[in-house]
């Protein structure tokens, strides 16, 4: 693997996104504050803001590092460097996943901490929150994969829209599992088979998306 | 010998739904400059993409600086400077950022030369790409390519869309670069003036095929236009064309005829004179006229 050049491509993408990520992260921290305030309205506004900011972070990363690179014809510049298309794919996946996971991880840790340490919010919400927030990561990977494979702005927008609509549907769907819903209001977090299975399936889907992306990209013969 | 060739394409084909590149053979010796001329859609950019490993050929072999493409593209690309008309730099980044980025990648980056080019091209390093004119963008792109001191320069339409002043600056810099006899250059253009000025080898490409590839002097010497007065002879267009090899076009108006040949030699003139024709003149053709005649002749040949 061309690790030297993959690192250079990673650094380039990180440099282009870090300021925006810092800005979004600050909004994410503000949403944590709203969640922690002892008010139902503030809690719901905070949750909506947090989910929105995670979706925006994902969309921003994908559009700046993948879609715009093709649309604004800077991909030719990248591919003139000593890299193969496989190197490009690896660099894009690593840069995007790392750049997403840093704010996502910090904000997820923040949410779980707020739930744990705030007496007004039941700890039973923790498994549900983790499942929902993990779904945002999986959806992000799916959109990233579509952007890389289709090389199409339109398809990326379509998939982003589908995933965003899917978030609320996913919440309802997850709430319908008895193993999840009956513990949400509980005082302690219950990590039963249902919760563990859903998390495991989410992680498996994430891994599958990455594998399929590599497979599809490796079959391409023309890159520009 | 592949080892002395900067570029070699052997029987390379690439098929698209509406365009085919057919059995391209091309060779560029190290230290030479080849101009690739063709109309829009002729296959120049596809050929260049094949050379850069961005497109995989359906058949044939591509070798660049002794590296097989696309399998060894990483090794080859370390030594290639590539710029194309449709390549853009990052609009929100400065020229300086691009220079520092490439400097961090290429150990061969020549900082002093980059600074010289900045001044010569009148570029401001802290200016963002989105604030540059087209000419400035082209010059910035060329700077980024040249300062890494590549063994092989591949330039796809480097002067397209430039105003005369910017074009002059770019061509002058390329002329400077070409003084280095170890550096090979392939550049495509549909501007025959640029190609005539820079190249020592010229390849015409049309409809996905190499129409002709020779050194510049051979093209200019062999392609001539002979003006004849036939009033003292009884020649017709048919026997004018069949009497000499290499006649590609005859324009006759009354007793005056203009014969265009791609195999000119002084014996042709003597032969016409001996048969009663008066020679009004033998004219050199411009590369543009040669290109048009080559393409015209190739298309007629294909239609027969």
């Amino acid at each position: 693997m061309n690790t030297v050049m993959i690192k250079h491509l990673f650094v380039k993408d990180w440099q282009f996104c870090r300021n925006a990520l810092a800005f979004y992260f600050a909004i994410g921290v503000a949403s944590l504050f709203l969640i922690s305030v002892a008010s139902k309205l503030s809690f719901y506004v905070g949750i909506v803001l947090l989910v929105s900011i995670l979706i925006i972070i994902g969309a921003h990363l994908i559009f700046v590092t993948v879609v715009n690179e093709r649309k604004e014809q800077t991909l030719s510049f990248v591919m003139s460097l000593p890299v193969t298309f496989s190197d490009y794919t690896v660099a894009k996946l690593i840069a995007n996943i790392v750049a997403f996971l840093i704010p996502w991880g910090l904000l997820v840790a923040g949410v779980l901490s707020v739930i744990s340490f705030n007496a007004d919010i039941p700890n039973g919400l923790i498994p549900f929150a983790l499942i929902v927030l993990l779904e945002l990561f999986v959806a992000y990977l799916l959109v990233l994969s579509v952007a890389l494979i289709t090389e199409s702005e339109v398809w990326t927008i379509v998939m982003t829209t589908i995933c965003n609509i899917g978030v609320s549907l996913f919440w309802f769907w997850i709430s319908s599992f008895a193993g999840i819903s009956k513990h949400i209001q509980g005082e302690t977090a219950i990590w039963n088979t249902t919760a563990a299975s859903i998390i495991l399936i989410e992680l498996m889907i994430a891994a599958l998306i990455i594998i399929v992306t590599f497979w599809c990209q490796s079959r391409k013969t023309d890159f520009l | 010998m592949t080892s002395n060739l900067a570029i070699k394409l052997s029987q390379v084909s690439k098929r698209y739904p509406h365009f085919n590149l057919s059995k391209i053979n091309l060779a560029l010796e190290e230290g030479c400059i080849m101009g690739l001329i063709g109309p829009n859609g002729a296959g120049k950019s596809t050929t260049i993409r094949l050379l850069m490993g961005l497109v995989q050929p359906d058949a044939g072999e591509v070798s660049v600086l002794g590296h097989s493409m696309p399998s060894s593209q990483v090794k080859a690309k370390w030594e290639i400077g590539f710029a194309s008309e449709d390549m853009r730099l990052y609009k929100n980044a400065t020229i300086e950022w691009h220079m520092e980025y490439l400097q961090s990648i290429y150990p061969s980056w020549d900082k002093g030369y980059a600074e010289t080019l900045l001044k010569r091209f009148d570029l401001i390093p802290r200016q963002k790409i989105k604030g540059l004119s087209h000419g400035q963008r082209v010059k910035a792109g060329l700077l980024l390519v040249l300062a890494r001191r590549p063994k092989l320069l591949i330039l796809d339409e480097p002067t397209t869309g430039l105003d005369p002043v910017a074009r002059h600056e770019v061509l002058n810099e390329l002329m400077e670069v070409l003084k280095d006899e170890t550096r090979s250059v392939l550049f495509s253009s549909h501007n025959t003036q640029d190609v005539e000025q820079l190249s020592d080898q010229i390849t015409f490409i049309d409809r996905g095929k190499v129409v002709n590839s020779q050194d510049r002097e051979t093209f200019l010497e062999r392609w001539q236009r002979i003006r004849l007065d036939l009033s003292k002879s009884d020649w017709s267009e048919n026997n004018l064309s069949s009497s000499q090899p290499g006649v590609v076009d005859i324009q006759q108006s009354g007793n005056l005829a203009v014969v265009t040949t791609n195999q000119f030699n002084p014996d042709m003139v003597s032969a016409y004179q001996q048969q009663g024709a008066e020679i009004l003149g033998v004219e050199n053709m411009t590369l543009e006229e040669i290109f048009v005649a080559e393409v015209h002749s190739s298309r007629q040949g294909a239609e027969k």
Side-chain angles (χ1 to χ4, degrees):
Chain A
M1 196 180 285
N2 190 356
T3 46
V4 174
M5 281 311 301
I6 289 170
K7 188 180 146 205
H8 280 296
L9 295 181
F10 169 81
V11 167
K12 170 184 70 65
D13 283 345
W14 176 252
Q15 285 180 351
F16 286 150
C17 293
R18 61 187 171 188
N19 290 344
L21 286 179
F23 173 72
Y24 296 137
F25 181 70
I27 298 174
V29 171
S31 73
L32 291 181
F33 172 75
L34 290 173
I35 292 169
S36 66
V37 172
S39 146
K40 262 194 174 178
L41 177 66
S42 172
F43 176 82
Y44 287 122
V45 170
I47 290 290
V48 169
L49 190 60
L50 179 78
V51 170
S52 302
I53 214 68
L54 286 172
I55 289 171
I56 290 169
I57 287 172
H60 182 99
L61 283 171
I62 291 166
F63 276 84
V64 168
T65 65
V66 180
V67 176
N68 285 356
E69 209 153 71
R70 185 166 282 276
K71 188 179 162 188
E72 293 171 1
Q73 295 174 299
T74 47
L75 184 56
S76 297
F77 173 77
V78 174
M79 292 310 295
S80 75
L81 302 174
V83 292
T84 62
F85 203 63
S86 296
D87 300 332
Y88 169 83
T89 304
V90 172
K92 287 296 163 194
L93 282 170
I94 292 176
N96 272 277
I97 291 171
V98 169
F100 185 82
L101 280 182
I102 290 172
W104 180 88
L106 290 171
L107 292 173
V108 167
V111 170
L112 299 185
S113 302
V114 167
I115 296 172
S116 299
F117 297 113
N118 192 324
D120 296 328
I121 306 172
N123 284 1
L125 196 58
I126 288 175
F128 177 78
L130 186 61
I131 288 168
V132 166
L133 292 169
L134 200 53
E135 187 268 343
L136 291 178
F137 172 62
V138 175
Y140 165 74
L141 278 183
L142 188 60
V143 179
L144 175 63
S145 172
V146 167
L148 284 168
I149 293 168
T150 66
E151 303 169 12
S152 155
E153 184 182 18
V154 173
W155 278 112
T156 308
I157 291 170
V158 168
M159 188 48 73
T160 305
T161 310
I162 290 170
C163 286
N164 290 351
I165 294 166
V167 170
S168 41
L169 295 176
F170 184 77
W171 286 24
F172 283 116
W173 184 59
I174 290 298
S175 308
S176 70
F177 286 89
I180 300 292
S181 58
K182 72 178 179 185
H183 303 295
I184 283 180
Q185 296 297 330
E187 285 185 7
T188 53
I190 304 295
W191 297 100
N192 56 20
T193 317
T194 310
S197 301
I198 294 170
I199 288 170
L200 186 65
I201 289 168
E202 285 182 322
L203 293 174
M204 285 168 67
I205 292 172
L208 185 67
I209 291 169
I210 293 170
I211 291 166
V212 168
T213 307
F214 271 116
W215 184 76
C216 290
Q217 294 291 84
S218 66
R219 289 170 61 85
K220 287 183 181 172
T221 55
D222 301 343
F223 310 123
L224 281 177
Chain B
M1 263 169 50
T2 310
S3 58
N4 291 333
L5 294 175
I7 285 172
K8 189 180 180 193
L9 281 91
S10 309
Q11 295 287 304
V12 173
S13 296
K14 181 70 189 173
R15 184 177 290 271
Y16 291 106
H18 304 292
F19 174 74
N20 290 334
L21 202 68
S22 309
K23 296 182 178 175
I24 296 282
N25 290 303
L26 212 59
L28 174 66
E29 284 186 27
E30 282 184 7
C32 289
I33 306 126
M34 179 186 278
L36 194 61
I37 308 180
N40 290 330
K44 302 187 294 294
S45 295
T46 304
T47 305
I48 284 175
R49 283 172 189 166
L50 284 159
L51 289 169
M52 287 301 296
L54 304 173
V55 170
Q56 196 169 310
D58 295 330
E61 288 178 10
V62 180
S63 167
V64 178
L65 297 169
H67 303 292
S68 178
M69 301 294 267
S71 58
S72 298
Q73 62 176 292
V74 172
K75 283 181 187 168
K77 282 174 171 178
W78 280 111
E79 300 176 311
I80 301 173
F82 171 63
S84 75
E85 192 257 328
D86 61 1
M87 179 191 286
R88 299 286 180 271
L89 303 174
Y90 291 95
K91 65 180 183 183
N92 290 320
T94 62
I95 297 174
E96 192 174 41
W97 179 89
H98 285 85
M99 289 167 67
E100 284 169 0
Y101 183 60
L102 291 181
Q103 190 180 352
S104 72
I105 294 173
Y106 291 94
S108 59
W109 181 266
D110 187 335
K111 202 175 174 183
Y113 183 40
E115 298 292 334
T116 305
L117 286 174
L118 268 177
K119 285 180 191 152
R120 209 174 282 171
F121 286 155
D122 201 19
L123 295 169
I124 301 162
R126 297 218 171 143
Q127 193 166 0
K128 284 190 174 176
I129 300 300
K130 65 182 172 188
L132 302 179
S133 67
H134 175 66
Q136 288 173 316
R137 278 204 307 270
V138 171
K139 286 190 278 188
L142 200 59
L143 180 156
L144 297 172
V145 166
L146 295 178
R148 66 181 90 153
R149 299 282 190 194
K151 271 190 186 175
L152 171 66
L153 271 174
I154 297 181
L155 306 170
D156 190 7
E157 309 268 4
T159 55
T160 299
L162 292 181
D163 64 65
V165 176
R167 187 170 148 260
H168 184 71
E169 285 176 335
V170 166
L171 289 177
N172 273 356
E173 200 49 50
L174 284 175
M175 299 277 266
E176 281 293 314
V177 168
L178 301 178
K179 285 179 184 167
D180 179 352
E181 290 182 355
T182 60
R183 190 173 292 166
S184 318
V185 182
L186 175 91
F187 75 102
S188 75
S189 181
H190 45 239
N191 188 328
T192 50
Q193 274 184 325
D194 294 351
V195 175
E196 192 169 351
Q197 193 175 341
L198 295 173
S199 310
D200 43 36
Q201 200 176 340
I202 294 166
T203 298
F204 292 137
I205 187 165
D206 184 48
R207 293 180 175 174
K209 289 181 179 163
V210 171
V211 174
N212 205 343
S213 183
Q214 290 179 35
D215 64 86
R216 182 183 59 186
E217 301 312 321
T218 305
F219 266 119
L220 296 175
E221 282 167 15
R222 287 190 179 177
W223 279 87
Q224 300 280 340
R225 207 181 276 127
I226 308 167
R227 295 191 180 278
L228 303 170
D229 181 349
L230 306 175
S231 56
K232 292 170 189 166
S233 71
D234 56 353
W235 280 17
S236 69
E237 193 173 312
N238 283 342
N239 55 29
L240 263 178
S241 63
S242 59
S243 66
Q244 296 291 334
V247 173
V248 294
D249 185 46
I250 296 165
Q251 299 293 324
Q252 192 165 357
S253 171
N255 288 325
L256 297 176
V258 179
V259 175
T260 304
T261 175
N262 64 4
Q263 291 178 36
F264 177 80
N265 69 65
D267 294 344
M268 286 180 79
V269 175
S270 309
Y272 284 135
Q273 280 174 326
Q274 281 169 13
Q275 290 169 62
E278 186 186 345
I279 308 298
L280 299 176
V282 178
E283 297 169 354
N284 291 326
M285 293 172 69
T286 63
L287 194 61
E288 182 163 324
E289 289 171 323
I290 295 170
F291 168 58
V292 172
E294 281 275 13
V295 168
H296 189 62
S297 166
S298 157
R299 289 184 182 180
Q300 277 184 331
E303 283 161 13
K304 277 176 188 172

